[in-house]
Short mmCIF file of all heavy atoms in Angstrom, two decimals:
data_model
loop_
_atom_site.label_atom_id
_atom_site.label_comp_id
_atom_site.label_asym_id
_atom_site.label_seq_id
_atom_site.Cartn_x
_atom_site.Cartn_y
_atom_site.Cartn_z
N LEU C 111 34.12 26.76 -83.55
CA LEU C 111 34.96 27.88 -83.99
C LEU C 111 36.03 28.21 -82.95
O LEU C 111 37.15 28.61 -83.30
CB LEU C 111 34.09 29.12 -84.24
CG LEU C 111 33.09 29.03 -85.40
CD1 LEU C 111 32.25 30.29 -85.47
CD2 LEU C 111 33.81 28.82 -86.73
N TRP C 112 35.69 28.05 -81.69
CA TRP C 112 36.63 28.37 -80.61
C TRP C 112 37.72 27.32 -80.45
O TRP C 112 38.88 27.65 -80.19
CB TRP C 112 35.85 28.53 -79.31
CG TRP C 112 36.68 28.45 -78.07
CD1 TRP C 112 37.51 29.41 -77.56
CD2 TRP C 112 36.79 27.32 -77.17
NE1 TRP C 112 38.11 28.97 -76.41
CE2 TRP C 112 37.69 27.69 -76.14
CE3 TRP C 112 36.20 26.05 -77.13
CZ2 TRP C 112 38.02 26.84 -75.10
CZ3 TRP C 112 36.52 25.19 -76.10
CH2 TRP C 112 37.41 25.59 -75.10
N ALA C 113 37.38 26.06 -80.63
CA ALA C 113 38.31 24.97 -80.35
C ALA C 113 39.47 24.96 -81.35
O ALA C 113 39.27 25.22 -82.54
CB ALA C 113 37.58 23.63 -80.40
N ASP C 114 40.66 24.65 -80.85
CA ASP C 114 41.81 24.48 -81.74
C ASP C 114 42.44 23.10 -81.60
O ASP C 114 43.52 22.86 -82.11
CB ASP C 114 42.86 25.58 -81.49
CG ASP C 114 43.15 25.81 -80.03
OD1 ASP C 114 43.04 24.84 -79.25
OD2 ASP C 114 43.45 26.95 -79.65
N ASP C 115 41.75 22.19 -80.94
CA ASP C 115 42.13 20.77 -80.95
C ASP C 115 40.90 19.95 -80.61
O ASP C 115 39.88 20.47 -80.15
CB ASP C 115 43.28 20.47 -79.99
CG ASP C 115 42.97 20.83 -78.55
OD1 ASP C 115 41.92 20.39 -78.03
OD2 ASP C 115 43.75 21.59 -77.94
N PHE C 116 40.98 18.65 -80.87
CA PHE C 116 39.81 17.79 -80.68
C PHE C 116 39.40 17.67 -79.22
O PHE C 116 38.22 17.46 -78.92
CB PHE C 116 40.09 16.39 -81.26
CG PHE C 116 40.00 16.33 -82.76
CD1 PHE C 116 41.14 16.38 -83.54
CD2 PHE C 116 38.77 16.23 -83.39
CE1 PHE C 116 41.06 16.33 -84.91
CE2 PHE C 116 38.68 16.18 -84.77
CZ PHE C 116 39.83 16.23 -85.54
N GLN C 117 40.34 17.80 -78.32
CA GLN C 117 40.00 17.69 -76.89
C GLN C 117 39.07 18.80 -76.45
O GLN C 117 38.17 18.58 -75.64
CB GLN C 117 41.28 17.70 -76.06
CG GLN C 117 42.12 16.44 -76.20
CD GLN C 117 43.35 16.45 -75.31
OE1 GLN C 117 43.72 17.48 -74.77
NE2 GLN C 117 43.97 15.30 -75.15
N LYS C 118 39.28 20.00 -76.98
CA LYS C 118 38.44 21.13 -76.59
C LYS C 118 37.01 20.97 -77.06
O LYS C 118 36.10 21.60 -76.48
CB LYS C 118 39.03 22.43 -77.13
CG LYS C 118 40.27 22.91 -76.39
CD LYS C 118 40.69 24.29 -76.84
CE LYS C 118 41.89 24.79 -76.06
NZ LYS C 118 42.30 26.15 -76.49
N LEU C 119 36.79 20.16 -78.07
CA LEU C 119 35.42 19.93 -78.54
C LEU C 119 34.58 19.24 -77.47
O LEU C 119 33.36 19.38 -77.43
CB LEU C 119 35.42 19.08 -79.81
CG LEU C 119 35.98 19.70 -81.09
CD1 LEU C 119 35.91 18.70 -82.23
CD2 LEU C 119 35.21 20.97 -81.46
N GLN C 120 35.25 18.47 -76.59
CA GLN C 120 34.53 17.68 -75.59
C GLN C 120 34.52 18.32 -74.20
O GLN C 120 33.81 17.85 -73.32
CB GLN C 120 35.16 16.28 -75.49
CG GLN C 120 35.11 15.49 -76.77
CD GLN C 120 33.69 15.25 -77.25
OE1 GLN C 120 32.80 15.01 -76.45
NE2 GLN C 120 33.49 15.32 -78.54
N VAL C 121 35.29 19.38 -74.02
CA VAL C 121 35.43 19.96 -72.68
C VAL C 121 34.10 20.48 -72.16
O VAL C 121 33.65 20.12 -71.07
CB VAL C 121 36.49 21.08 -72.68
CG1 VAL C 121 36.42 21.86 -71.38
CG2 VAL C 121 37.88 20.50 -72.87
N ILE C 122 33.44 21.34 -72.94
CA ILE C 122 32.20 21.96 -72.46
C ILE C 122 31.05 20.95 -72.38
O ILE C 122 30.33 20.93 -71.37
CB ILE C 122 31.83 23.18 -73.33
CG1 ILE C 122 32.90 24.27 -73.14
CG2 ILE C 122 30.44 23.70 -72.99
CD1 ILE C 122 32.66 25.52 -73.94
N PRO C 123 30.85 20.08 -73.40
CA PRO C 123 29.77 19.08 -73.23
C PRO C 123 29.96 18.18 -72.02
O PRO C 123 29.00 17.89 -71.30
CB PRO C 123 29.85 18.28 -74.54
CG PRO C 123 30.43 19.21 -75.52
CD PRO C 123 31.42 20.04 -74.75
N LEU C 124 31.19 17.72 -71.76
CA LEU C 124 31.42 16.78 -70.68
C LEU C 124 31.53 17.45 -69.31
O LEU C 124 31.04 16.93 -68.31
CB LEU C 124 32.70 15.97 -70.95
CG LEU C 124 32.64 14.97 -72.11
CD1 LEU C 124 33.99 14.29 -72.30
CD2 LEU C 124 31.54 13.95 -71.91
N MET C 125 32.19 18.61 -69.28
CA MET C 125 32.48 19.25 -68.00
C MET C 125 31.42 20.27 -67.56
O MET C 125 31.36 20.62 -66.39
CB MET C 125 33.84 19.95 -68.07
CG MET C 125 35.00 19.02 -68.40
SD MET C 125 35.25 17.74 -67.15
CE MET C 125 35.83 18.73 -65.79
N VAL C 126 30.61 20.73 -68.50
CA VAL C 126 29.63 21.77 -68.17
C VAL C 126 28.20 21.31 -68.44
O VAL C 126 27.35 21.27 -67.54
CB VAL C 126 29.93 23.07 -68.94
CG1 VAL C 126 28.88 24.13 -68.60
CG2 VAL C 126 31.33 23.59 -68.63
N VAL C 127 27.91 20.95 -69.70
CA VAL C 127 26.52 20.68 -70.09
C VAL C 127 25.97 19.44 -69.41
O VAL C 127 24.84 19.45 -68.87
CB VAL C 127 26.42 20.55 -71.63
CG1 VAL C 127 25.00 20.16 -72.03
CG2 VAL C 127 26.81 21.86 -72.30
N THR C 128 26.72 18.33 -69.42
CA THR C 128 26.22 17.10 -68.80
C THR C 128 25.96 17.26 -67.30
O THR C 128 24.89 16.89 -66.81
CB THR C 128 27.19 15.93 -69.06
OG1 THR C 128 27.28 15.70 -70.46
CG2 THR C 128 26.69 14.66 -68.38
N PRO C 129 26.89 17.83 -66.52
CA PRO C 129 26.59 18.06 -65.09
C PRO C 129 25.38 18.97 -64.88
O PRO C 129 24.56 18.71 -63.98
CB PRO C 129 27.87 18.71 -64.56
CG PRO C 129 28.94 18.25 -65.47
CD PRO C 129 28.30 18.17 -66.81
N LEU C 130 25.26 20.04 -65.68
CA LEU C 130 24.12 20.93 -65.53
C LEU C 130 22.81 20.21 -65.84
O LEU C 130 21.77 20.49 -65.22
CB LEU C 130 24.27 22.15 -66.45
CG LEU C 130 25.31 23.19 -66.04
CD1 LEU C 130 25.36 24.32 -67.06
CD2 LEU C 130 25.02 23.76 -64.66
N THR C 131 22.85 19.27 -66.79
CA THR C 131 21.64 18.52 -67.13
C THR C 131 21.25 17.59 -65.99
O THR C 131 20.07 17.49 -65.62
CB THR C 131 21.86 17.72 -68.42
OG1 THR C 131 22.28 18.60 -69.47
CG2 THR C 131 20.56 17.03 -68.85
N PHE C 132 22.22 16.88 -65.42
CA PHE C 132 21.93 16.00 -64.29
C PHE C 132 21.42 16.78 -63.09
O PHE C 132 20.58 16.29 -62.33
CB PHE C 132 23.18 15.21 -63.91
CG PHE C 132 23.39 13.97 -64.72
CD1 PHE C 132 24.23 13.98 -65.83
CD2 PHE C 132 22.75 12.79 -64.40
CE1 PHE C 132 24.42 12.84 -66.58
CE2 PHE C 132 22.93 11.64 -65.15
CZ PHE C 132 23.76 11.67 -66.25
N LEU C 133 21.93 18.00 -62.91
CA LEU C 133 21.51 18.83 -61.78
C LEU C 133 20.31 19.71 -62.13
O LEU C 133 19.87 20.50 -61.30
CB LEU C 133 22.68 19.72 -61.33
CG LEU C 133 23.90 18.98 -60.78
CD1 LEU C 133 25.04 19.96 -60.53
CD2 LEU C 133 23.56 18.22 -59.51
N GLY C 134 19.82 19.60 -63.36
CA GLY C 134 18.74 20.46 -63.82
C GLY C 134 17.36 19.84 -63.77
O GLY C 134 16.42 20.36 -64.38
N GLY C 135 17.23 18.72 -63.07
CA GLY C 135 15.92 18.10 -62.92
C GLY C 135 15.63 17.01 -63.93
O GLY C 135 14.47 16.67 -64.15
N ALA C 136 16.68 16.44 -64.56
CA ALA C 136 16.46 15.36 -65.51
C ALA C 136 15.86 14.13 -64.83
O ALA C 136 15.02 13.44 -65.39
CB ALA C 136 17.76 14.99 -66.22
N PHE C 137 16.30 13.87 -63.58
CA PHE C 137 15.85 12.67 -62.87
C PHE C 137 15.01 12.98 -61.65
O PHE C 137 14.64 12.07 -60.91
CB PHE C 137 17.07 11.84 -62.45
CG PHE C 137 17.87 11.32 -63.60
CD1 PHE C 137 19.01 11.96 -64.03
CD2 PHE C 137 17.46 10.19 -64.28
CE1 PHE C 137 19.75 11.49 -65.10
CE2 PHE C 137 18.19 9.69 -65.35
CZ PHE C 137 19.33 10.35 -65.77
N TYR C 138 14.72 14.24 -61.41
CA TYR C 138 13.93 14.60 -60.23
C TYR C 138 13.31 15.98 -60.46
O TYR C 138 13.70 16.72 -61.36
CB TYR C 138 14.81 14.64 -58.98
CG TYR C 138 15.97 15.60 -59.07
CD1 TYR C 138 15.84 16.94 -58.70
CD2 TYR C 138 17.21 15.18 -59.55
CE1 TYR C 138 16.88 17.84 -58.80
CE2 TYR C 138 18.27 16.07 -59.66
CZ TYR C 138 18.10 17.38 -59.28
OH TYR C 138 19.15 18.26 -59.40
N SER C 139 12.34 16.30 -59.64
CA SER C 139 11.75 17.64 -59.64
C SER C 139 12.52 18.50 -58.66
O SER C 139 12.83 18.05 -57.55
CB SER C 139 10.27 17.57 -59.23
OG SER C 139 9.76 18.86 -58.98
N ILE C 140 12.82 19.73 -59.04
CA ILE C 140 13.56 20.60 -58.11
C ILE C 140 12.71 20.94 -56.90
O ILE C 140 13.23 21.41 -55.89
CB ILE C 140 14.07 21.87 -58.80
CG1 ILE C 140 12.91 22.74 -59.28
CG2 ILE C 140 15.00 21.53 -59.95
CD1 ILE C 140 13.36 24.12 -59.78
N GLY C 141 11.39 20.69 -56.98
CA GLY C 141 10.53 20.88 -55.83
C GLY C 141 10.82 19.89 -54.72
O GLY C 141 10.38 20.08 -53.58
N MET C 142 11.57 18.83 -55.03
CA MET C 142 11.93 17.83 -54.03
C MET C 142 13.16 18.27 -53.23
O MET C 142 13.51 17.63 -52.24
CB MET C 142 12.22 16.48 -54.72
CG MET C 142 11.03 15.94 -55.50
SD MET C 142 11.48 14.59 -56.63
CE MET C 142 11.99 13.34 -55.47
N LEU C 143 13.82 19.35 -53.66
CA LEU C 143 15.02 19.82 -52.98
C LEU C 143 14.65 20.70 -51.79
O LEU C 143 13.55 21.26 -51.74
CB LEU C 143 15.89 20.62 -53.96
CG LEU C 143 16.41 19.89 -55.20
CD1 LEU C 143 17.10 20.89 -56.14
CD2 LEU C 143 17.36 18.78 -54.81
#
């Protein structure tokens, strides 16, 4: 609903969600930090 072009559809998944997932313990336990 917010996006007004196709590029905006990918901004949040690529720039926000994917990095947060990689940093959210997908490949490690945060207890190792």
Side-chain angles (χ1 to χ4, degrees):
L111 294 176
W112 163 76
D114 45 31
D115 58 53
F116 283 99
Q117 290 183 347
K118 286 188 177 180
L119 292 179
Q120 299 299 322
V121 168
I122 294 180
L124 291 178
M125 301 297 291
V126 179
V127 176
T128 299
L130 287 179
T131 305
F132 276 96
L133 296 173
F137 296 99
Y138 58 88
S139 169
I140 64 171
M142 300 166 65
L143 299 173

